[in-house]
Amino acid sequence: MAVESSSSHQFMGRSRQSFLNQDISPDSSVKSRDWDTTSRWSEQSNPEIVSPSTSSNWKHTHSSTPPGNRNFQKARHMQWVFQLVDVAEGLMAKMYKLNQKLDYPEPNTFQFSDSFWKAGVIPNFPKLCMHITKKFPEHPGKLQLERVDKLGLDSLYENVEAYLENLEPWLMLLLDLMTFREQALRLILDLSSTVITLLPHQNSLILHAFMDLFCAFVRVNLFSDKVPRKMIVQVYNLMHTMLRSGRDYEFYHRLVQFIDSYDPPLKGLHEDLNFVSPRIGEVLEAVGPIIFLAADTQKLRNEGFLSPFHPRYPDILTNSAHPMRAQDLANVNGHRDWVLLGYLVCPSELLRITVLKENLVLSLYRDECILLHEEYQLYVLPKILESKKMAKAGRAKQKEADAEYNIAKQVEKMICDVHDQAISCAEGIHRERRILLKQEIGRMVLFFSDQPSLLAPNIQMVFSALALARSEVMWYFRHIGVVSVKSKATRIVPVEIDSSDPTIGFLLDGMDKLCCLVRKYVSAIRGYALAYLASAAERIRFLLGSPGMIALDIDAELRNLFQQVIGCLEKSPKPQGEHVSTATADLSDFRKNWLSVLMVVTSSRSSINIRHLEKATISTGKEGLVSEGNAAYVWSRSVDELEDQLSTHACVKQLYYYRQHLTVVFRNTMFGPEGRPQHCCAWLGVASSFPDNATVSVPEEFLKIGRDAVSYVESLIESIMGGLEGLINILDSESGFGSLESKLLPEQAAIRMNHAAKVAMPSSKSMKSNSDLPLPGNESEPANRDTIKMLEAAVQRLTSLCSVLNEMEPICILNHVFVLREYLRDCVLNNFRRRLITILKIDRDLQRPSVLESLVHRHMNIVHLVEQHVSMDLTQGMREVLLSEAFSGPIRGLHTFEKPVQNTGTAISIICDWYLENVVKDVNGAGILFTPIDKCFKSARPVGGYFAEAVTDLSELKAFVRLFGPYGVDKLDGMIREHLTALLNCIDTTLRSNKEYLEALSAHMHNSRERDYYLKQVHELEPLINFSIQAGQALCFTSLLAEAAGQVLDANTPLLFSLLSDFTKHLPASLPEREDIRRLKTLTNTLGVTTEHDIALVNSILLDMVGVGDVTWGLLPYLYATCMTSNIWNTSAFNVSTGGFNNNVHCLARCINAVIAASEFVRAERKELERQLLSQQQSNRNGTELKELEAELQNLEGITSVEVNIKASMKIFIKCASTIILQSWSDSNRSPLVAKLIFLDQLCELSNYLPRSTLEVHVPYAILRSIYQQYFENSVPTLVLISPSRRHSLGIPLSHVPSRNGQFYSDHTVESGEGATSSTLKFAAQRKSPLLDLESSSDADIKPIGGGVRLSGPLDYTGMRKVSFLDTPSSDGTSGPSPLRRFVMSRSGPITYK
């Protein structure tokens, strides 16, 4: 029941339904019209409840009942009590619905909103309706309404039937209210006059039923004041007279009289309940000690009323000192309502008003309340003043009048002062009470978890704790936002309620845990209760056979009722071991019979009453008969109504109407300094009881409340997951685990070492202490423990929250099931995805991949911490997140399926776009240069927040590969391929546009005049060089990426790497290649397994281009030879420290090598395809094996011819380029010559198809050697040989001795200046291989020349240099390399050629 006094129903339970299922006839004194009206109450009450007027067996029962059976007539009153309480709830539900529909009107102040008139209940004619309402109770026909609103009256008359139909249900509600008032008042007066005792220690069961009806009666009438009763009656009767030719509605005058007598409602209540006022005062005085005990937190704590062990004797576990008090405390909330409502409607009994100091509002129904103190001052204080005036007039005559006057004066003062006290003290009183309950319930949970066997004997104490906690929670939320007017001032004062009080979470969590314990050990509780009932049956049988009972003249019917009670108890199942949990005893018959006994023995008309029974059985030295029966009644509910008791004492379903405040308090306290995240389950579990607020009389409420409950749960889950993300992000921040990691960074150690070295130097100035770089472990010092404490608290909250969410049972609301574990998993993974996207960029720029990798590892460590407390594999989920962020499509060469339609690859797209735009394309103009020695890109100025080398170093690319795997590598490689494709298309366009001039140039290369003419005719030369340099730069980046991928693959999956590597080496060479082999080569090239990365990449692109390999592409060497006339060489300068040029011209060599070689492969493959096509057309079916053999031989010859063609094309390029360079050089223009010669030398070093002997034919080695000598002497002032070895034979550096695959080595140790550190000079395309010894040198012959060793550039012309593929001598008469000594002793500068 939603009425506040429903907590007192623990004594009733199913007995109510048992009584209502009895077929009994109504009293003859009740008018038939009233009972006909009561038949409509089945709509308001539980459908299982059978109305007496609708019982199918009513006639049979009436005929079989003896007319003089008084005991049966007395027992019948309990049925009416239960039914009227249910009817009261149904009536209030309908009034609540009407109030919502009319937008909560204020009928007494005539304040109606626009929603009120648009609701469709009252006709939308405000002037007319308000006028007849203000003139109530005058008849509408006498008010001359034509003068008020003639148009409205005419419109009302035209649509009177529709308006009447809309208003009729609510008029029926007023009829039901009138009938309920008559029936309930009659029953209250009857019980008050016939029940001999209503004291809680004598007749508690009947008392609670009586007071429930009394409070329901008061609440219904108080709530009816919020309904526009006058307007409904007046407007309905007006429309009825219009429709019935001036005839009034048949109940109009009775309704007018009823409404007028209850205007205001307290006026009618004072008059109606005046006769029961003494009995009410008696009851309220009797329950006073229980209320005072519940208000005394100190006594509750010291005496141990809520403690399972004795406070003075802790060794006594079971607290049996206050068994009945614990039971009374369970009903104290209902007792408070009795007092507040009782003194409000029976002011003459008012003696003490202590409860008023603790409350500001009085709950009527759900969230509808009235301001308690305003009501007392308006309606109770005048009664007290009137009583004081009468007593003052009779003071001189009677002493009783003098005492009455003093009491009235004292009560008057208290009413005037208690309002201000309540505003200032109520919150403090209840806060102290909440703290007590938080502590006691916490101890109770720990105790009963450790000693579950003691839960059953102390179950009433558990119910008391639950009821008190529920009362405090409801008080807290009812008083949030309450605004009251002080009695001695006119200003409005809001009640100060702390919306961040953490005790609410503790109380909800404690209630939830206690309920879980009770449900967990329900079999033990049921067994203990059954054992008690078995012993109670023996005691009751013994008491009935006692001499005192025999002496009483008990009639046969009462004796039969006692025998039925004993029989029901003896038939209850006996607890025997495992059968306890399966016992499904229904003791409703016992409770029904016992209530019948109580109604008989408490009646004033009964010959044997309760006092007789107590006197007759108390002499036995044990509890009296009635006390034993009442105790058995209470314990019987623990057998078959345990869940009902839990819902009565611990149900907080009315929090639904305060869910907005509930959400605010939850968010303020959940992750506050005193909050506990593990309490979230209790806050969520509250929503499961929300649908219980729906009533049968308003069916549409069920779905609405269910939807609101779902929204509440979703809101809380969002807050919980937000808090979970916050805890994870706190630990993942720089002030979290990042602060600990930063103390262990190598940079910190390097800075500290530098600082220590500078301090140790005597010549250095004294420096301040580096307190800004604390040593590792500094945070553990007592003065610096705050950070660690914060981290420990965050870790503790995170782990406890995850544990609770993992163990929480699913929340079921209607057809929605909320599994918190799944929400936790989604939250962690989504947070990881958002975190990954967030840390990708820092200050709108890309984060370094190595830093990104460390941040991801740090986040994964935190998730691993979470994973230890949940029963889910979150690591696999994080891998899936990384995979989804790295996957943007199938890998070329590996997958054949189409890309699925889904939004994936966000992170990899961001990174790849950044690398492509800022490094490969250099759209910001940061001066990106590729440095072959360092194998990275460098920039003249920062690219965003870093220089280019900070994000393109091989270690950074390896971190990128480790994070995003082959999918990320393929994505970045694919984007660069698209860029390369566009560049190669531009090169193709330039080549074709200059075809005519290139053909002429190739024919007149030896004619200087014609050559110069056609060189000038070649156009778009500068864009060509720009496109080629960009292509070479892209090839450099893809090469670095492939190398990084290969190293990561080799380190993590060496078996797979070796398998791919060996397979690549032994792949059969064929032209054209099979599709599967081509796909495999594409894959191995992307993963850095192959050696010829550039040629393979360009080849795969050119194969998809139309026209590549035709005659025009044979002119490609001539096109690139014309680049030697470009103006770009005027600004080109070679840098020894980087091994490249200042404008990336060295990338042009990479492009030339890859494009020329790949174009020859494409040309050969396409020619082979044409040949195979023709051969297939001309072949016959015979000689298939011979044809296959011939095809294989031709294939091998084709591959060999391709290599020869590549070498020939490269020779043509070198020959033409050298001719153009040397013929265009003069004394006045020497600067471009040096750059061009170094460029040609780098091309020879880079290409496996271009031996240096080819360049030597055109450019003597002495020129290049002297060039490098000058570069090195200018860049390294002093070169000192550290230790002679075979690698420094005769002062000749063997660092450039070619290996078998054409690579050269450098391992020079250079010292420059005093105290300088050693550094190693490295050059492009260097790889470690065994060094080759010179044939005619030995260690003994090694001598420094000129006191030092001259270190050359990347050229070392020894006998092991590359051998030309041409055996014929060159055209200029030069035949092979010069003697070794010639180049060793040469110190000449550049030779002038004219």
Side-chain angles (χ1 to χ4, degrees), residues 440-494:
E440 296 296 335
I441 291 178
R443 295 192 190 103
M444 197 177 290
V445 170
L446 293 176
F447 179 82
F448 288 131
S449 299
D450 185 58
Q451 300 287 337
S453 60
L454 297 177
L455 178 61
N458 294 278
I459 189 64
Q460 297 301 324
M461 183 187 302
V462 173
F463 291 154
S464 300
L466 291 173
L468 290 174
R470 171 184 175 274
S471 173
E472 290 305 315
V473 170
M474 295 307 304
W475 184 96
Y476 178 85
F477 286 102
R478 283 187 182 127
H479 285 74
I480 289 182
V482 171
V483 178
S484 183
V485 181
K486 282 195 172 184
S487 59
K488 297 181 180 179
T490 56
R491 62 189 181 93
I492 298 176
V493 180

Side-chain angles (χ1 to χ4, degrees), residues 238-295:
L238 175 63
M239 293 188 295
H240 188 277
T241 55
M242 290 179 179
L243 200 62
R244 297 293 189 270
S245 302
R247 192 169 54 197
D248 290 336
Y249 177 58
E250 57 178 328
F251 294 107
Y252 169 71
H253 296 285
R254 288 187 59 191
L255 286 173
V256 169
Q257 183 181 1
F258 164 65
I259 295 172
D260 187 56
S261 62
Y262 272 76
D263 184 30
L266 281 174
K267 168 189 170 185
L269 289 172
H270 287 165
E271 295 177 358
D272 290 344
L273 297 176
N274 185 44
F275 295 101
V276 299
S277 182
R279 298 301 301 270
I280 298 298
E282 176 187 346
V283 171
L284 301 184
E285 185 68 20
V287 299
I290 302 174
I291 297 176
F292 294 142
L293 173 63

Side-chain angles (χ1 to χ4, degrees), residues 931-955:
T931 57
I933 289 181
D934 298 323
K935 286 188 176 181
C936 69
F937 289 84
K938 294 186 177 181
S939 58
R941 60 176 181 272
V943 183
Y946 303 100
F947 286 92
E949 56 267 28
V951 291
T952 59
D953 185 68
L954 192 61
S955 60

Side-chain angles (χ1 to χ4, degrees), residues 476 820 1161:
Y476 178 85
L820 272 298
F1161 275 108

Side-chain angles (χ1 to χ4, degrees), residues 82 120 257 576 990 1013:
F82 298 147
Q257 183 181 1
Q576 295 179 357
T990 305
Y1013 172 76

Side-chain angles (χ1 to χ4, degrees), residues 1232-1249:
L1233 174 67
V1234 175
K1236 295 175 184 178
L1237 294 180
I1238 294 178
F1239 170 79
L1240 295 179
D1241 180 70
Q1242 285 191 336
L1243 179 60
C1244 293
E1245 181 185 3
L1246 181 67
S1247 176
N1248 291 331
Y1249 301 97

Side-chain angles (χ1 to χ4, degrees), residues 151 270 660 681 695 728 787 885 919 1015 1152 1277:
L151 294 177
H270 287 165
Q660 294 181 352
C681 296
T695 57
I728 293 176
T787 304
E885 292 300 325
V919 177
L1015 283 175
I1152 293 173

Side-chain angles (χ1 to χ4, degrees), residues 133 266 295 493 506 769 1042 1308 1371:
T133 303
L266 281 174
V493 180
F506 280 96
S769 62
H1308 299 287
S1371 61

